[in-house]
Amino acid sequence: MATSTPEPGPDERLFTVDELASASGLTVRTTRYYASLGLLPPPAKRGRMAWYDDTHLARLEMIRALQEHGFTLQAIEGYLASLPADAALEDLALQRAMLTAWAPPGPQEISRRQLEKHAGRRLGEEQLRMLEDVGIVRRTEDERGARFTPLQGFDVAVELLDLDIPMDGMRAAGAAISHHIDALATDLTRILRDEVVEPHRQRAHTHQETERFERTLTVLRRLTLEAIVSAFQRSANDLIARSLQREQGEASHREAR
C-alpha cells in the first residue's frame, strides 16, 4: 500500500502531474493509472493543486526498470510494497540502478506472423524450437494462441539459421554460452553490489551526487560489456596460438622419429 507523502523540503523539486509524466517519459494517463493502483504515494496537496516530488519520479523510474525485466504490474506492486515506507530518495535511486537493464528491452509478446516479419523470413517449427532452446525466443500460450517474445540477440540467432551448421551444434553452443554467461553475470553482479554500490550507500550523498553515480554505473555497464567481448577475443586468439604451437610440436616430434 502507498504511504502518505511528507511535505517536500525547501531544496526538493516539485512537479505537476504533467511535469512528472514528462520527466519520467510516460503519458499523463499512464502516470495517473499507476497512481490509482497504489504504486505511487499520494501527492502533497497545496490548495487545489497536487504536487509530486523526486521520490515519485524515482518510483516511476523504478517501475519502468522492473517492466524492462518482465515484471507484471502485480509483481511490481509486491516489490514496491516490500521497500521501506521511509526509503530515502538516494536509496530508491540505488535500487533502480541495480535493476537497470544492461541493454534496451526487446519487443513485447507478438504473434508468429509478427515474429517472422521481424526475422525477415519464415521460421519452421524446428527453427523455432532451436531459438527457444538457446533462450532467444520465449513462447507462451493464451486465448489468441501461441505468442512469442524475441529477446536480445534474436537478429544474430536468425542469421545463424542461414549458415550450414547442424542445429544440434547450435544448441550445444547456446547451452555452453548460457552456462558460462550465467556464472559470469552472477559474479559481476555480486562485485558491483558489494564493491561499488554498497560502499556508496554507506555514505551520505546529495541528490546531484546520486545522479552522477547513476551515470557512472551506466558507463561502467558499457565498459564491462566491451571488456567481456575483448576478453573473449583475447582468450580465443590465445587458444588458437596454443593449438598451432601444439600441432607444430607434434609435427616436429613425428619428423624426428
Side-chain angles (χ1 to χ4, degrees), residues 30 59 109 135 199 210 257:
T30 299
R59 284 184 174 262
E109 280 191 346
T210 299
R257 294 175 59 186

Side-chain angles (χ1 to χ4, degrees), residues 70-255:
F71 279 62
T72 64
L73 286 178
Q74 183 177 8
I76 291 173
E77 183 179 7
Y79 180 84
L80 293 178
S82 70
L83 298 177
D86 58 348
L89 178 63
E90 287 70 28
D91 288 332
L92 294 174
L94 290 176
Q95 286 272 4
R96 188 185 71 252
M98 287 298 294
L99 290 169
T100 301
W102 285 68
Q108 300 301 308
E109 280 191 346
I110 55 180
S111 67
R112 180 163 178 169
R113 176 180 293 183
Q114 291 170 318
L115 183 71
E116 290 179 335
K117 182 178 180 180
H118 181 50
R121 56 176 293 166
R122 184 181 179 281
L123 297 171
E125 275 302 317
E126 186 179 5
Q127 293 171 328
L128 273 175
R129 284 197 299 271
M130 192 280 294
L131 293 174
E132 290 179 69
D133 290 345
V134 298
I136 295 297
V137 170
R138 291 176 183 163
R139 184 196 302 238
T140 56
E141 298 281 346
D142 61 20
E143 66 279 0
R144 297 166 293 180
R147 306 288 293 176
F148 303 88
T149 304
L151 304 177
Q152 194 74 20
F154 176 77
D155 294 337
V156 173
V158 169
E159 284 192 50
L160 289 173
L161 295 175
D162 290 328
L163 301 181
D164 189 18
I165 300 175
M167 288 198 175
D168 285 345
M170 294 176 65
R171 287 189 175 91
I177 291 171
S178 179
H179 170 73
H180 292 287
I181 287 298
D182 285 350
L184 180 60
T186 298
D187 288 343
L188 289 178
T189 300
R190 176 184 53 78
I191 293 170
L192 177 65
R193 182 188 63 240
D194 295 347
E195 305 297 334
V196 179
V197 174
E198 281 303 323
H200 178 86
R201 191 197 299 271
Q202 299 304 319
R203 303 188 299 273
H205 299 281
T206 66
H207 179 62
Q208 289 73 21
E209 288 172 334
T210 299
E211 288 184 335
R212 187 162 58 248
F213 182 70
E214 287 189 77
R215 291 194 294 271
T216 297
L217 288 183
T218 299
V219 175
L220 181 59
R221 284 184 174 88
R222 177 178 59 79
L223 295 177
T224 299
L225 291 173
E226 292 176 2
I228 290 171
V229 173
S230 297
F232 176 80
Q233 292 172 330
R234 184 171 61 251
S235 180
N237 288 335
D238 290 345
L239 178 63
I240 292 171
R242 291 195 302 270
S243 177
L244 290 174
Q245 290 171 354
R246 184 170 60 252
E247 290 178 4
Q248 185 178 21
E250 291 173 353
S252 298
H253 181 69
R254 287 195 299 270
E255 289 176 2

Side-chain angles (χ1 to χ4, degrees), residues 6-14 46 53:
E7 283 295 316
D11 298 326
E12 290 187 83
R13 296 181 296 178
L14 293 177
R46 293 186 179 178
D53 58 24

